[in-house]
Amino acid sequence: MNKHALLSASGAAKWLNCTPSARLEEKIPNRTSNYAREGTLAHTLAELTVNYWLNNISEMDFENQKDELVASEEGQEFFNMEMQEYINDYAKLITDKVKAAKEVCEDTFAELEVKVDFSKWVPDGFGTSDCVIVSDKILEIIDLKYGKGHRVEAAGNLQMRLYALGALEYYGQLYDIEKIRMTIFQPRLSGVQSSDEITVKELLKWAEEVVRPKAKEAFEGKGEFAPSEEICKFCRAKEECRARYDYNLNIFDESPDPLLITPDEAAAVLTKAGDMRGWLDDLEDLVYSALMKGEKVNGYKIVEGRSNRAFADESKVVKAMKKAGYKEALLYEKKLITLTQMEKDFGKKEVAEILKDLIIKPKGKPKLVPESDKRPEMQINEAVIAAFDEN
Ligand code: SF4
């Protein structure tokens, strides 16, 4: 088995919507980000912690393996108390679910980091599901998303459905399963969890009618490119893709005709240009990387950026200032670390408990977002206008 499937479950939103993307991405080297490294560490810790919470391993084994993990390169870089707290929330979610399911069916069991194979519908399609709970007639797939960038909904989630197919392919042969529940847990987004359910019949219908034909096209690199803000940002070809380039450059063809445009017309352009901001950053990255490799790019060059002066050796600075007659106490300042840093170092719950009423959250400034944004609309009244006019 390859480490990365061409048509992966996590990339399903891309290749099911923009079928030629998978073969195009093959031409672009895969870069590992720090977010991905942090996510991998969190998932390894999650597997270990849940195994301990489910009594699959002893406390000593848990502590020893955790010490090893924390001492690893990723552990040194990304582990903190906050991470363990978030993972404990995930472990609680799993153990609560297993306990509740056992009350109905005592044969319920959970498996972690399950390799799921959905190659019956998707050429070479496989992935790893964080947790599968098998109970009476119901199979639950749980996915831990450690990122805090954006909320991911389980409803209609293509990645979860492919995991469900792979899990059904295996467990469906051994157990009588009628329904599949898919749950996404995002501990860093205030423990958001969302679930969706699908019957086995509906899932298999979707697999035959949608997945199989689209996967064939994607595997063969055929079909239409479908650039969009939601999909392109997760694509490895996002910088070089010509379809995205054409789509973004053609976006302003339908110019409104009056001399002065209305807010509605401006909003229509903003909606269409949703991908433009990210795309311009991607283009900048592309030109920057080419120049850094020594290639020539018309109209651009690399210059030395601004830099700030710094002390070459702090202990020698202190010595020199003291020798010049300045008191050591005057050379240092005492500064409180930020709330975010405290939560990382000491754990979110611990800090919340100690500081209780000492944490305030001022009202956010009015912000323009598309209507599809999940947040409730802010009521604009005179008090709001006055409050933000002063600033
Ligand atoms: S950048 Fe967008 S349009 Fe281009 S291949 Fe990727 S997903 Fe498709």
Side-chain angles (χ1 to χ4, degrees):
M1 258 188 194
N2 291 326
K3 203 168 166 221
H4 296 288
L6 174 77
L7 306 180
S8 66
S10 57
K14 247 180 312 178
W15 58 260
L16 277 169
N17 287 299
C18 177
T19 50
S21 64
R23 288 292 173 194
L24 193 64
E25 278 190 306
E26 271 191 319
K27 300 181 200 290
I28 319 283
N30 203 355
R31 278 177 267 173
T32 309
S33 68
N34 274 345
Y35 296 119
R37 291 174 61 225
E38 183 186 44
T40 305
L41 176 78
H43 276 81
T44 312
L45 182 66
E47 186 185 3
L48 184 63
T49 308
V50 178
N51 264 325
Y52 171 52
W53 280 49
L54 289 174
N55 296 320
N56 294 339
I57 55 170
S58 67
E59 184 172 357
M60 202 166 82
D61 281 347
F62 169 68
E63 291 298 344
N64 289 342
Q65 289 181 46
K66 185 178 153 187
D67 286 350
E68 261 177 47
L69 197 60
V70 172
S72 68
E73 198 185 321
E74 271 72 23
Q76 293 287 305
E77 220 170 313
F78 302 111
F79 178 80
N80 50 47
M81 284 310 293
E82 197 184 21
M83 179 182 273
Q84 184 66 68
E85 263 185 8
Y86 287 137
I87 296 307
N88 288 349
D89 290 343
Y90 170 69
K92 182 170 184 318
L93 175 91
I94 306 273
T95 40
D96 283 353
K97 277 181 180 290
V98 172
K99 202 171 148 205
K102 274 192 171 165
E103 277 167 20
V104 183
C105 162
E106 63 178 30
D107 295 332
T108 296
F109 65 92
E111 289 199 26
L112 308 175
E113 293 296 308
V114 179
K115 298 273 173 271
V116 285
D117 184 332
F118 42 89
S119 57
K120 187 169 167 186
W121 298 273
V122 176
D124 300 336
F126 65 91
T128 306
S129 171
D130 295 332
C131 177
V132 177
I133 300 176
V134 183
S135 190
D136 186 30
K137 299 197 179 353
I138 189 160
L139 191 131
E140 180 157 10
I141 313 282
I142 301 167
D143 198 44
L144 165 71
K145 297 221 178 284
Y146 195 69
K148 56 177 179 180
H150 68 283
R151 188 179 162 145
V152 185
E153 296 297 334
N157 189 288
L158 303 172
Q159 177 183 10
M160 296 303 282
R161 284 187 172 200
L162 288 181
Y163 285 158
L165 268 182
L168 180 67
E169 195 44 17
Y170 178 69
Y171 297 103
Q173 294 174 17
L174 309 170
Y175 306 94
D176 180 21
I177 293 159
E178 290 177 359
K179 201 164 64 174
I180 298 177
R181 185 181 301 131
M182 295 154 287
T183 297
I184 293 176
F185 183 59
Q186 295 184 277
R188 292 168 91 190
L189 288 180
S190 313
V192 167
Q193 61 163 299
S194 68
S195 292
D196 193 22
E197 286 188 357
I198 191 166
T199 63
V200 167
K201 208 171 151 199
E202 286 167 336
L203 183 70
L204 292 175
K205 187 171 185 292
W206 172 76
E208 286 303 333
E209 293 177 4
V210 178
V211 178
R212 189 187 292 286
K214 287 281 179 193
K216 184 171 184 297
E217 274 190 357
F219 194 73
E220 291 168 357
K222 293 182 180 160
E224 298 289 323
F225 284 98
S228 77
E229 184 183 0
E230 294 73 34
I231 294 173
C232 295
K233 66 181 166 197
F234 298 114
C235 181
R236 275 211 310 277
K238 65 183 177 180
E239 294 169 0
E240 291 100 323
C241 176
R242 185 163 295 281
R244 189 186 186 203
Y245 173 93
D246 290 342
Y247 168 78
N248 278 328
L249 286 187
N250 290 335
I251 217 162
F252 297 112
D253 274 1
E254 311 150 21
S255 316
D257 55 359
L259 291 178
L260 297 173
I261 63 165
T262 65
D264 274 347
E265 284 168 331
V269 176
L270 284 181
T271 306
K272 277 187 161 186
D275 189 31
M276 285 291 264
R277 291 187 185 97
W279 181 57
L280 291 177
D281 288 343
D282 293 336
L283 290 186
E284 226 173 73
D285 287 348
L286 177 65
V287 172
Y288 179 84
S289 321
L291 289 168
M292 290 300 279
K293 278 189 242 157
E295 294 168 20
K296 283 268 168 232
V297 180
N298 284 340
Y300 278 86
K301 63 181 176 185
I302 299 279
V303 295
E304 191 179 327
R306 287 177 55 143
S307 74
N308 295 324
R309 294 171 306 148
F311 294 126
D313 182 327
E314 288 192 6
S315 61
K316 284 185 184 164
V317 168
V318 174
K319 237 186 218 167
M321 292 300 281
K322 276 167 70 182
K323 201 172 162 199
Y326 293 96
K327 286 199 175 110
E328 189 166 349
L330 296 175
L331 302 175
Y332 293 99
E333 64 173 357
K334 216 181 196 179
K335 218 171 147 198
L336 198 60
I337 58 172
T338 62
L339 177 56
T340 310
Q341 193 58 48
M342 270 191 204
E343 288 177 338
K344 272 193 178 147
D345 294 347
F346 316 128
K348 214 169 178 156
K349 284 176 192 151
E350 170 84 354
V351 171
E353 178 64 29
I354 297 171
L355 298 181
K356 277 186 200 112
D357 307 331
L358 293 172
I359 297 172
I360 52 160
K361 190 169 189 311
K363 259 203 154 341
K365 279 187 184 172
K367 189 173 184 301
L368 179 70
V369 295
E371 228 161 29
S372 54
D373 193 283
K374 296 265 180 317
R375 286 167 287 186
E377 187 166 1
M378 189 175 185
Q379 294 307 311
I380 306 295
N381 52 35
E382 283 177 10
V384 171
I385 295 170
F388 291 101
D389 261 3
E390 283 164 16
N391 297 329

